[in-house]
Amino acid sequence: MNNDSITPPGFEGFELDPALLRAINDLGYESPTSIQDQVIPLLLAGQDLLGQAHTGTGKTAAFALPILNNLDIESRILQVLVLTPTRELAIQVAEAFVQFAKHINGVKVLPVYGGADMRNQLRALDRGVHIVVGTPGRVMDHLRRKSMRLDNLTHVVLDEADEMLQMGFQEDVEWILEHAPEDR
């Protein structure tokens, strides 16, 4: 198959996995947004960054695509933690990861948030997940129960960090980050 036929213009320069390019094409992406253009190469190179853009500009794709590109699928350990201020955003971001990874076999994404059945979350964590997207309170619950370990994280994303701070989650986020490797 000719790779150009599945690669939306502008995304080919990122050297993303062909499975991700297929998903991007399936989702109807035509070209990278400004935030994606700026962020994807930096994250693919392993750099830390702070990104800010308006709603609807593709911030989730900007961090999810390089994270998925660099994920170690063979290792069923938690590698990515995305913290969100609300359960609605946790669900939305987890679904986006699943959509982007739809052509990659074995990617396990788990949304964790209050109000959801803890037993299902515990079972999923016990079986092994690559990516957890959650609210600070529920992530803290799992850390206290020792049902989630952050020792092997390669990426931590604070999605809507400004909103988390406004909602009073600063101490919770700091406590969670104390459980993660310093070089994540």
Side-chain angles (χ1 to χ4, degrees):
M1 174 185 276
N2 181 347
N3 212 18
D4 292 336
S5 66
I6 62 166
T7 308
F11 282 95
E12 67 276 350
F14 296 137
E15 298 180 16
L16 293 169
D17 185 284
L20 291 172
L21 294 174
R22 282 181 49 211
I24 292 167
N25 189 58
D26 292 350
L27 291 166
Y29 284 47
E30 294 179 9
S31 61
T33 64
S34 178
I35 188 79
Q36 293 163 355
D37 229 4
Q38 295 173 53
V39 167
I40 290 173
L42 297 174
L43 289 179
L44 286 170
Q47 294 187 28
D48 291 339
L49 62 90
L50 172 64
Q52 186 175 3
H54 293 288
T55 301
T57 56
K59 290 187 301 287
T60 303
F63 65 77
L65 292 170
I67 285 173
L68 287 166
N69 195 77
N70 295 333
L71 200 63
D72 180 1
I73 305 300
E74 302 301 317
S75 180
R76 274 276 180 94
I77 57 172
L78 180 58
Q79 300 167 47
V80 179
L81 175 63
V82 180
L83 290 175
T84 66
T86 65
R87 80 174 90 187
E88 294 80 16
L89 186 58
I91 293 166
Q92 179 184 334
V93 171
E95 288 173 353
F97 268 101
V98 169
Q99 287 180 324
F100 294 132
K102 74 180 192 175
H103 297 296
I104 303 172
N105 290 331
V107 175
K108 301 294 180 198
V109 180
L110 178 66
V112 299
Y113 50 87
D117 187 345
M118 179 66 92
R119 291 172 301 194
N120 290 339
Q121 293 175 11
L122 292 169
R123 278 193 294 276
L125 288 166
D126 192 47
R127 286 190 303 267
V129 297
H130 300 104
I131 301 166
V132 165
V133 183
T135 56
R138 184 53 64 101
V139 169
M140 291 172 67
D141 286 348
H142 282 291
L143 290 171
R144 286 186 184 112
R145 290 173 178 254
K146 301 195 184 318
S147 54
M148 181 187 303
R149 295 184 50 161
L150 307 182
D151 307 14
N152 297 298
L153 288 184
T154 57
H155 297 85
V156 174
V157 176
L158 304 179
D159 197 4
E160 305 271 346
D162 56 340
E163 190 173 329
M164 271 193 281
L165 295 176
Q166 290 173 359
M167 293 172 72
F169 288 125
Q170 181 173 344
E171 286 181 17
D172 295 349
V173 170
E174 288 172 357
W175 187 85
I176 292 166
L177 293 178
E178 287 173 9
H179 291 79
E182 285 187 36
D183 62 346
R184 81 242 166 253

